[in-house]
Structures are given as C-alpha cells and as structure tokens.
Amino acid sequence: MTMTMKMDEATSPTLLGRVRDFYDRLGRLPLSFIQLMARVSMAMVFWRSGQAKIANWDLTLKLFAEEYKVPVLPPEIAASMAVAVELSVPVLLVLGLLTRLATLPMLGMTLVIQTFVYPQAWVDHLSWAVMLLLLLSRGPGVFSLDHVIGKALR
C-alpha cells in the first residue's frame, strides 16, 4: 500500500465511517442546549393555553364546566388554578429559575389532562412529560438563572 492510498482512505471514509463520525458529532451537542429547548418548548405550550383561557373567560368557564369536567374542584376554581399555573410557571421555565420546582405543577396538570380531559391525546402528553421529566431530573442547564445563582452561592 502506498502513501497516496492511505491519504485517499483518510479523506474519503467509507459510508460506515461517515455514519460513525455523524453520531460522534451528535454526541457533542451540549445537554444544556437540549435543556434550554425543552424549557422554552414547554413554556410556550402552557403560556399559549393560559393566554387562550384569559382571552375569553366565559368560554373558559363553560369548557371547564362542560368539557373538561375536572373532578373534585368546581369549574371556577379549576379554571383559575389552571390559568395561574399556565401564566406564571412558563416565565420561571424560560428564565431557568426554580426550574425543577416549576416542572411539578406542569407535570401535575399534564397528568390531570391525560387522565380526565383528553386521554386520546396521550402522544402529546407523553412528549410533554418526557421534556418535563428531563428538566426535573437533570435541571435547567447552564443557560439558566438557577445555574448562575448556584455558581454564585458556591
């Protein structure tokens, strides 16, 4: 084998070599970037829902009374609690502030929605739960106020 053949092999790897290289590069994607995307994604899902609820409060109350039918709580209280969570917790997620704590009411709401309101939408709810569990178990990542505050306290 000559030196030119070795150089050709190095500059044009096999298909398997290219796939391995691609996988190696994917592994270098920072987890903190994925955590940031999960935080923003979940914040937008809940924020939009909260915005829709306050845009037409009468319709919201009707939905909670007739369609959502959350057990135990009266529709007015359930609607108010939902809006309070949907308009406050997303702000915490985007900022990465109290992130792990902020995921808990969202996971609770996801579970209630899945169980009592829209059980057929389990694919969406499973996606939400996965992103929220990532944030609960791994935290918000370095692009967060939690990280900055934690660093300052150390």
Side-chain angles (χ1 to χ4, degrees):
M1 196 180 301
T2 65
M3 185 59 114
T4 3
M5 290 175 70
K6 286 184 181 177
M7 288 180 72
D8 287 342
E9 287 174 8
T11 57
S12 61
T14 64
L15 178 60
L16 182 59
R18 288 181 183 160
V19 169
R20 284 184 184 151
D21 184 51
F22 178 69
Y23 282 171
D24 288 344
R25 289 176 191 221
L26 286 176
R28 293 185 210 141
L29 181 65
L31 178 59
S32 288
F33 183 68
I34 296 167
Q35 291 162 303
L36 175 62
M37 290 188 303
R39 288 186 358 240
V40 172
S41 297
M42 289 314 309
M44 292 311 299
V45 166
F46 282 83
W47 179 261
R48 287 179 179 164
S49 180
Q51 289 291 308
K53 285 178 178 70
I54 63 170
N56 190 339
W57 190 247
D58 291 335
L59 176 61
T60 296
L61 291 176
K62 187 176 180 176
L63 282 170
F64 271 83
E66 297 174 10
E67 185 176 337
Y68 299 165
K69 297 181 184 178
V70 177
V72 182
L73 297 174
E76 298 80 12
I77 294 174
S80 297
M81 288 174 63
V83 167
V85 168
E86 290 172 338
L87 296 180
S88 61
V89 176
V91 175
L92 296 174
L93 279 189
V94 168
L95 295 173
L97 181 62
L98 303 172
T99 305
R100 287 183 161 146
L101 184 64
T103 63
L104 296 176
M106 290 180 151
L107 277 167
M109 283 183 68
T110 301
L111 185 62
V112 168
I113 294 165
Q114 172 58 37
T115 305
F116 299 110
V117 184
Y118 296 122
Q120 70 280 7
W122 64 271
V123 174
D124 293 330
H125 304 145
L126 182 61
S127 299
W128 300 352
V130 167
M131 285 188 276
L132 291 167
L133 288 170
L134 168 73
L135 297 172
L136 179 63
S137 64
R138 299 297 183 268
V142 297
F143 307 118
S144 67
L145 288 178
D146 286 346
H147 178 75
V148 172
I149 292 167
K151 202 171 181 182
L153 292 176
R154 280 188 224 119

